[in-house]
Amino acid sequence: MRVYIGCGGYSNDDWAAPGLLYDGVRKDDYLATYARHFDAAELNASFYGIPGLKAFEGMLRKSAGRVRFTVKLHRVFTHDRAPTDDDFDRMLQSPEPLREAGVLGPYLAQFPYSFHRTPANRRYLQMLTERFAGHELAVEIRHEGWDLPEVREGMAQRGVIWVSPDYPPAGGLPEPQLHVTADVGYLRLHGRNATNWWDGQSAAERHDYRYSRAEMDEWAQKIALVADDLSELYVFFENTTRGHALKNIPQLREALNAHGVPVQAPDPLDFPDDGRLL
């Protein structure tokens, strides 16, 4: 199993704070700096506007082809749920530069908590998976009503990736377990800030949480248990607020190696240590 580890987005202004990854780095150089330390990135910008071919070409160039990108579907697919044929065409065609270079990971469909398991929503999800047939599609569903073996069995039959989340113990959310429904796994670590999950005014507040070493070891154990069932696993830290993810990723790498799951970090011979990753 090849494990790719990165963050939800790479343009995190919090990381420009003194002593963190982007301290003294021009915003245009964020991705090049990011690529020195991480081999995967979850693209959030595509949720707000589908980038064009040139934008994806720029991502490929700045990352030197060293980063696997997963691409979040535009909100018209998951929140508005009224995509047009043109939306499908642009979503599927724009990342072609990444696809050709072999660095395109799964598409990510991140549904809101309000997306309950109703007959209408089940039909919509079936339509969406059919339109993305032939492409890796990872689906995160936040309402606990979907957290059922029969739902995951249906996804497995269609080759759809169940996104395994780590949410706070805030009620109404899927359990923090690592489930396998395809040859590729997808884990999103949101942090466990139960106080701000429902009442936070922003995503930054909800994700303001730093995992302990024990919590990282807990996830490393869960990952080790499915290592023989997957060819690839994507692990994304969403707790980028105040640089929490920068502390937790080395801890997870260390824990995975200790549990017999080898993790390939960027080669220090290619990228000498610049002291930025604390």
Side-chain angles (χ1 to χ4, degrees), residues 1 21 27 29 34 58 72 110 120 122 125 133 139 147 149 172 174 176 185 198 216 232-233 240 246 262 270:
M1 179 181 66
L21 193 64
K27 196 157 189 174
D29 293 330
Y34 181 97
K72 188 181 292 186
Q110 178 191 296
R122 291 168 66 185
L125 185 56
V139 177
D147 189 12
W198 296 120
M216 290 292 88
E232 296 177 345
L233 173 66
T240 57
L246 302 178
D270 294 331

Side-chain angles (χ1 to χ4, degrees), residues 55-132:
F56 282 107
E57 288 172 352
M59 293 176 209
L60 179 63
R61 182 180 66 257
K62 291 177 181 179
S63 63
R66 297 181 180 275
V67 175
R68 280 282 188 103
F69 291 90
T70 66
V71 180
K72 188 181 292 186
L73 297 189
H74 188 274
R75 61 171 296 126
V76 72
F77 295 95
T78 55
H79 289 58
D80 303 333
R81 295 189 286 280
T84 65
D85 287 340
D86 182 60
D87 292 324
F88 278 103
D89 289 343
R90 289 189 298 120
M91 199 79 250
L92 289 169
Q93 295 171 9
S94 290
E96 188 60 27
L98 303 182
R99 188 178 291 115
E100 289 182 353
V103 295
L104 178 62
Y107 286 96
L108 170 64
Q110 178 191 296
F111 285 94
Y113 180 79
S114 59
F115 187 69
H116 294 191
R117 189 169 180 254
T118 65
N121 286 343
R122 291 168 66 185
R123 288 192 294 271
Y124 178 80
L125 185 56
Q126 179 175 343
M127 179 278 294
L128 189 70
T129 59
E130 289 173 352
R131 292 294 297 265
F132 278 87

